[in-house]
Amino acid sequence: VVACLGNRQPDMARWLSLGAEKVVDAMGQKGVNRLVILSSMGIGEDFMPFSFIHNILWPLLLNTLMRSAKRDLQGLERVVEASDLNYLIVKAVGLTPEEKPEETWHVLQSRGGDVEISIAKSDMAAFMLQEALQPTMVKKAVTAGSKPKKKG
């Protein structure tokens, strides 16, 4: 199952953790074991390198204007992590409709790597679908985005 629940708009109702509970329960009832679910960078440990956007601006937004979205995303992750499922939580960078698809992505599983701050929605969808069908990462959370651009 690939789940991309909810919204991040400040003025909309929050139901990500409730949605995650329903998905986890339904999967248990049907005997489906693999879940790849979308979360967000900035929620818990996300392995992003230091940058103004990631370490200052995004936390400021999450702790002020987007407090309810942050709490809901944290709840979603807690529900999934507490389940018996074979899960992958994908902490996506900015999913941008304007970003041109590259048909590639980059995944951080620990500190020391880098990703671009945005990725095409279709590239994120392709990564998540691939992980659902052919799992390589189990019972973990990763940060996913575009491959870093070469500097210079």
Side-chain angles (χ1 to χ4, degrees):
V1 171
V2 175
C4 302
L5 304 171
N7 64 71
R8 307 296 186 268
Q9 290 74 22
D11 59 340
M12 296 185 79
R14 301 287 166 225
W15 49 269
L16 297 174
S17 55
L18 176 61
E21 287 175 17
K22 302 258 185 223
V23 168
V24 167
D25 289 346
M27 290 177 69
Q29 290 173 15
K30 296 296 181 182
V32 177
N33 191 41
R34 180 64 171 167
L35 174 62
V36 179
I37 194 163
L38 188 66
S39 184
S40 174
M41 71 174 191
I43 305 301
E45 185 173 25
D46 66 8
F47 312 121
M48 291 287 290
F50 182 85
S51 72
F52 173 78
I53 291 173
H54 181 261
N55 295 90
I56 297 169
L57 183 59
W58 190 239
L60 179 67
L61 289 171
L62 284 172
N63 290 315
T64 57
L65 297 175
M66 299 180 71
R67 267 190 314 263
S68 63
K70 178 182 177 182
R71 279 192 304 272
D72 206 22
L73 284 161
Q74 289 170 327
L76 173 145
E77 291 189 10
R78 278 192 301 273
V79 167
V80 172
E81 289 169 344
S83 76
D84 292 328
L85 296 175
N86 169 344
Y87 66 83
L88 177 65
I89 297 170
V90 179
K91 297 171 184 268
V93 298
L95 298 173
T96 310
E98 295 82 21
E99 192 79 21
K100 294 199 185 295
E102 297 179 2
E103 298 180 7
T104 187
W105 49 84
H106 189 67
V107 178
L108 300 178
Q109 298 184 53
S110 62
R111 293 262 175 230
D114 197 6
V115 294
E116 289 297 316
I117 200 72
S118 64
I119 186 170
K121 288 182 177 185
S122 61
D123 290 341
M124 185 60 66
F127 163 64
M128 292 177 73
L129 183 59
Q130 177 180 300
E131 269 303 314
L133 297 174
Q134 299 171 342
T136 62
M137 295 170 260
V138 176
K139 288 201 177 264
K140 63 173 32 181
V142 299
T143 302
S146 295
K147 288 188 177 185
K149 307 277 189 272
K150 298 207 185 241
K151 298 185 172 134

